[in-house]
Amino acid sequence: ASGLPEYIKIVEVGPRDGLQNEKVIVPTDIKIELINRLSKTGLPAIEVTSFVSSKWVPQMADHKEVMRGIERHPGVQYPVLTPNLRGFHSAIAAGATEVSVFGAASESFSKMNINCSIEESIEKFEEVAKSARNMNIPVRGYVSCALGCPYEGNIIPAKVAEVSKRLYSMGCYEISLGDTIGVGTPGSMKRMLEAVMKDIPLSALAVHCHDTYGQALANILTAIQMGVTVVDSSVAGLGGCPYAKGATGNVATEDVIYMLNGLGINTGVNLYAVMEAGNFICTALNKKTNSKVAQASFSTATIN
Amino acid sequence: MAAARRLLPRWAVSLRPVSGAAAAGALPKRVKVVEVGPRDGLQNEKNVVPTPVKINLINMLSETGLQVIEATSFVSPKWVPQMADHTEVMQGINKLPGVSYPVLTPNLKGFQAAVAAGAKEVSIFGAASELFTKKNINCSIEESLERFGEVMTAARAASIPVRGYVSCVLGCPYEGKISAAKVAEVSKKMYSMGCYEISLGDTIGIGTPGSMREMLTAVMKEVPVGALAVHCHDTYGQALANILVALQMGVSVVDASVAGLGGCPYAQGASGNVATEDLVYMLNGLGIHTGVDLQKLMDTGTFICNALNRRTNSKVSQASCRL
């Protein structure tokens, strides 16, 4: 055995986290087409949309249409964000069969992002988790700012562990630890995971790394060396960083898969198919891909 | 799309059987960063950079705490116009005590010109691929080593240290897969010839932590890890992950290029060298000492990007988080 996991589950967040952080509002049919293409790549989970008020997130205003319009491939999960009970009910009515809730390890970030304290947000999520449990709907929990906060700076691992534990205890089957501003390094990733792993089984952990400082793949490698088996990423590296103008955000799914393939780790995902989906959405958005693998491959080669 | 299918190696798309890629022992406490921007970086930039700009770049780099800055290449200007001003650059830069300014010397003639211009350290460039060697310098690996032998003899006589580079260690743009054993063989030869350090270059950035581990395992059987360096390209975004694995295996010398200067001549529009800023950011986060002032480094990157009228390839520079 190599010491690394044999299989890594990739959670594709491009259609939600990615598009949410793109300036251009994407037409509903393009979103649906993107998700349908991603469904054919072998990705086991694709985050579809967010049932949040369109006042706050105009990009996700078409959440019902998208949820109802996509093809649902057997064996593929299509989680959606539900910040509160109202969003949850709306999601279920639209056909959602898995939901996500978003906590943070930083009070300031929680206040600035959703205008309430961490404790208040947890109470809201508990309402969602309770309804979800009654309906047998799995809930994924996210913890933002796991390796640093744009307002507070350094975040102590113990705080990340505390918030993660709250989400896990309320019934979240998986906790995705997000380096929201991409400031983390293999050093801080290791310390944070060591703290969180004391309270939460490894198999329930995921990492959601941003590549804003170019550290994402090194951080992901560190996480998988420690036994994490779920990695979030975004096709074409969609989604900039709202806290650093012009900087990148999500790590590109193509680049993650390239690395995992090179490590002999199974993902079930066809890299070419993801590159094609990435090419589709970048063309539709009239933007260059953030995936280095895609950049290197879609070039006109000068070699013989 | 057909172009993409041709360029991606098969193993990049499907699984590559590999063993033993989990974290190894403790990380080095110190890493020596070898700055290759002024030579490797600029050599792969389209615009020819005026001599005063090159000199200023090197001088600014000298102020950052970097211990090694590859200054230029004593190669014929017919082949590499960007490096035509090698003598002026060598003679024009401030040489700080404690800082090395190695230069490339592809042959004896280049070596002699370099020494005449004041060089105190030189580098020679081998490759683990026959086809790459043929296309690049029009001879076989064996013939290239013979040429280097002449340089080694002269260098030894002049007490000039020689650094050896091995290109294509994780893949070749012409041959594709490169066997780890071949890399070990060429590295061993160059080390035996008298190179004090062997820099293993992932020339097209195609390597992953899996292939890096496999290659280093083979090379470390022939060359002590203390004499090894890694020179990773970020063309496929794998550089920092590859460097991390190398560090975990005991490598403590890493090459990088300020602002990630230098594209990839084999994939148009793609990036090349890993950015020094991004490397130092990671090493800082790991608590590894480099002696390099990241802010001064970023300022230097800003300077050269302005001079080249291009955006930086360093993500750390791009980020400079503003709320």
Side-chain angles (χ1 to χ4, degrees):
Chain A
S2 73
L4 290 176
E6 280 176 12
Y7 172 78
I8 296 272
K9 177 175 96 173
I10 305 264
V11 175
E12 171 60 48
V13 301
R16 203 285 306 168
D17 192 2
L19 293 186
Q20 185 166 317
N21 285 296
E22 289 288 331
K23 290 187 300 289
V24 175
I25 297 281
V26 177
T28 306
D29 59 332
I30 301 278
K31 286 187 179 116
I32 290 170
E33 172 74 23
L34 171 64
I35 294 164
N36 289 345
R37 282 171 183 251
L38 291 169
S39 287
K40 297 182 181 129
T41 63
L43 283 162
I46 301 166
E47 194 176 66
V48 167
T49 187
S50 181
F51 281 78
V52 67
S53 162
S54 48
K55 190 172 49 173
W56 298 122
V57 187
Q59 180 76 278
M60 299 287 130
D62 56 0
H63 43 240
K64 290 197 189 103
E65 293 86 341
V66 172
M67 198 70 221
R68 293 199 186 114
I70 56 170
E71 292 164 11
R72 308 278 285 258
H73 288 234
V76 183
Q77 298 299 329
Y78 298 94
V80 299
L81 247 69
T82 52
N84 48 39
L85 201 55
R86 187 174 150 193
F88 174 78
H89 289 310
S90 184
I92 298 303
T97 51
E98 179 175 328
V99 301
S100 305
V101 295
F102 253 82
S106 154
E107 284 294 353
S108 309
F109 187 85
S110 197
K111 200 101 189 79
M112 294 292 255
N113 227 36
I114 51 177
N115 202 24
C116 63
S117 69
I118 296 179
E119 191 58 43
E120 285 164 342
S121 72
I122 299 267
E123 281 161 18
K124 284 187 203 166
F125 303 148
E126 268 165 350
E127 292 181 339
V128 172
K130 193 161 165 222
S131 291
R133 190 166 36 249
N134 289 340
M135 301 179 69
N136 274 336
I137 298 270
V139 183
R140 187 187 213 227
Y142 282 88
V143 180
S144 301
C145 298
L147 298 178
C149 171
Y151 310 103
E152 289 183 14
N154 205 25
I155 295 291
I156 59 168
K159 189 70 184 174
V160 182
E162 182 196 319
V163 176
S164 303
K165 191 174 177 184
R166 296 292 299 276
L167 290 171
Y168 187 67
S169 307
M170 75 171 68
C172 292
Y173 76 92
E174 195 168 88
I175 308 298
S176 174
L177 304 160
D179 182 11
T180 306
I181 47 171
V183 283
T185 65
S188 56
M189 172 64 83
K190 183 163 190 281
R191 284 190 295 277
M192 184 275 292
L193 283 176
E194 278 168 351
V196 176
M197 277 159 63
K198 288 191 182 119
D199 292 321
I200 302 189
L202 255 181
S203 55
L205 291 178
V207 289
H208 182 111
C209 296
H210 277 201
D211 203 40
T212 317
Y213 288 77
Q215 308 295 304
L217 286 188
N219 292 343
I220 288 166
L221 178 62
T222 299
I224 67 182
Q225 285 177 341
M226 292 174 74
V228 169
T229 58
V230 184
V231 176
D232 299 0
S233 60
S234 175
V235 61
L238 288 179
C241 178
Y243 306 97
K245 198 179 132 167
T248 57
N250 286 299
V251 67
T253 305
E254 298 91 318
D255 300 0
V256 173
I257 292 173
Y258 186 93
M259 180 174 80
L260 297 178
N261 283 350
L263 282 164
I265 294 174
N266 188 25
T267 60
V269 182
N270 180 325
L271 176 55
Y272 287 141
V274 177
M275 284 169 61
E276 279 169 339
N279 192 34
F280 162 76
I281 191 62
C282 287
T283 305
L285 283 168
N286 193 27
K287 65 165 278 179
K288 286 190 70 182
T289 181
N290 277 333
S291 156
K292 287 217 164 170
V293 169
Q295 278 167 34
S297 310
F298 282 99
S299 65
T300 49
T302 53
I303 58 176
N304 303 318
Chain B
M1 194 54 221
R5 288 176 190 272
R6 189 173 61 243
L7 283 167
L8 273 183
R10 265 192 58 222
W11 56 258
V13 187
S14 57
L15 284 188
R16 178 173 182 286
V18 89
S19 62
L27 295 172
K29 291 195 167 49
R30 314 179 81 90
V31 161
K32 179 174 83 173
V33 176
V34 174
E35 172 59 47
V36 301
R39 202 285 308 168
D40 192 1
L42 291 186
Q43 184 166 318
N44 286 297
E45 290 287 327
K46 288 187 304 289
N47 304 324
V48 175
V49 177
T51 308
V53 173
K54 286 188 180 114
I55 289 172
N56 197 34
L57 170 64
I58 295 167
N59 289 345
M60 285 183 80
L61 289 167
S62 291
E63 299 293 330
T64 63
L66 284 160
Q67 292 173 263
V68 186
I69 301 163
E70 196 177 65
T72 186
S73 180
F74 281 78
V75 67
S76 163
K78 191 173 47 174
W79 298 123
V80 187
Q82 180 76 275
M83 299 287 130
D85 54 2
H86 40 67
T87 304
E88 293 88 336
V89 169
M90 203 63 214
Q91 289 173 342
I93 55 176
N94 295 337
K95 291 190 186 151
L96 259 60
V99 182
S100 279
Y101 299 91
V103 299
L104 247 68
T105 53
N107 48 40
L108 192 58
K109 184 175 161 190
F111 174 80
Q112 286 159 346
V115 173
K120 298 275 185 289
E121 179 175 330
V122 301
S123 305
I124 57 175
F125 255 81
S129 156
E130 286 289 356
L131 215 48
F132 185 85
T133 305
K134 193 112 191 78
K135 295 253 186 199
N136 231 30
I137 52 177
N138 201 22
C139 63
S140 69
I141 295 178
E142 193 57 46
E143 285 162 342
S144 74
L145 292 176
E146 279 167 20
R147 279 186 212 166
F148 299 147
E150 296 182 336
V151 174
M152 298 305 308
T153 305
R156 197 164 23 245
S159 289
I160 298 239
V162 182
R163 187 186 212 227
Y165 283 88
V166 181
S167 302
C168 298
V169 300
L170 299 179
C172 170
Y174 309 104
E175 285 188 20
K177 193 161 167 26
I178 294 291
S179 81
K182 187 71 183 175
V183 180
E185 182 197 320
V186 176
S187 304
K188 185 182 180 175
K189 287 201 174 126
M190 293 180 79
Y191 185 66
S192 309
M193 283 165 65
C195 293
Y196 77 93
E197 196 167 85
I198 306 296
S199 174
L200 303 162
D202 181 11
T203 306
I204 47 173
I206 214 156
T208 64
S211 57
M212 172 64 84
R213 178 169 289 271
E214 196 183 312
M215 183 275 295
L216 283 176
T217 302
V219 175
M220 279 163 62
K221 290 192 180 117
E222 309 291 351
V223 181
V225 72
L228 291 177
V230 290
H231 183 112
C232 297
H233 277 201
D234 203 38
T235 318
Y236 290 77
Q238 309 293 306
L240 287 187
N242 293 344
I243 289 166
L244 181 60
V245 165
L247 296 173
Q248 289 173 343
M249 292 177 74
V251 172
S252 61
V253 184
V254 182
D255 299 359
S257 176
V258 62
L261 289 180
C264 180
Y266 307 98
Q268 202 195 86
S271 60
N273 286 301
V274 69
T276 314
E277 299 92 315
D278 300 359
L279 168 67
V280 170
Y281 185 91
M282 181 173 82
L283 296 175
N284 285 350
L286 281 163
I288 294 174
H289 182 258
T290 61
V292 179
D293 181 325
L294 181 54
Q295 187 55 56
K296 286 189 179 159
L297 187 59
M298 286 169 62
D299 293 342
T300 308
T302 301
F303 161 75
I304 190 62
C305 287
N306 286 342
L308 283 167
N309 193 27
R310 59 159 284 176
R311 284 194 71 191
T312 181
N313 273 337
S314 155
K315 287 217 166 169
V316 169
S317 268
Q318 282 167 32
S320 305
C321 209
R322 300 268 177 275
L323 290 178

